[in-house]
Amino acid sequence: MREVIRTEAAPAPVGPYSQAIAAQGRLVFVAGQIPLHPETGAIVGEDVATQTEQVLVNLEAILKAAGATFADVVKTTVFLADMNDFVAMNGVYTRVFDEATAPARACVQVARLPKDVRVEIECIAVVPA
């Protein structure tokens, strides 16, 4: 079970995320993923859009192995090396998570990411028990 929580008593989302998600089932905590090719270990792309695409491919593979899909994701955290990359990252992110049902999300700029990539994303999914 996954329910989007919305209230007018708090600020409305300003992007593809929900104020909150209520869920019941088996929790899957997916570690932060960076844009590494799973077979070669090489960093995929130099721009944040290409890197975000690979990060989402990696997240999807892990979710699938856990019996989950992006539709089961209730929370994401996006780490950016530069907040100026937000619009480009968000453009790719919205291809996977539409605004109406998107998970709760936090997005922060960090001083540095592993292997000096531009983006890392972690997520929490709830799989029906």
Side-chain angles (χ1 to χ4, degrees):
M1 182 188 135
R2 181 182 187 279
E3 177 188 359
V4 174
I5 305 298
R6 290 189 176 105
T7 178
E8 292 182 14
V14 292
Y17 67 91
S18 296
Q19 290 171 315
I21 300 288
Q24 182 178 6
R26 183 175 140 231
L27 293 174
V28 178
F29 296 86
V30 182
Q33 296 299 301
I34 61 174
L36 296 180
H37 188 279
E39 294 175 10
T40 66
I43 295 170
V44 175
E46 293 185 17
D47 63 286
V48 75
T50 303
Q51 289 192 2
T52 302
E53 288 172 8
Q54 184 62 47
V55 166
L56 293 171
V57 166
N58 295 346
L59 286 172
E60 184 175 37
I62 295 166
L63 289 166
K64 183 178 179 182
T69 68
F70 283 125
D72 299 309
V73 174
V74 296
K75 173 74 167 78
T76 62
T77 305
V78 179
F79 304 95
L80 293 173
D82 184 344
M83 194 56 82
N84 290 318
D85 285 339
F86 179 82
V87 171
M89 175 282 301
N90 205 46
V92 176
Y93 183 94
T94 58
R95 292 183 214 154
V96 174
F97 300 110
D98 68 271
E99 283 192 41
T101 60
R105 177 178 80 178
C107 182
V108 296
Q109 178 176 314
V110 295
R112 192 168 179 199
L113 289 167
K115 298 186 177 279
D116 293 318
V117 299
R118 302 188 68 79
V119 62
E120 178 176 353
I121 303 174
E122 66 180 16
C123 70
I124 301 169
V126 179
V127 182

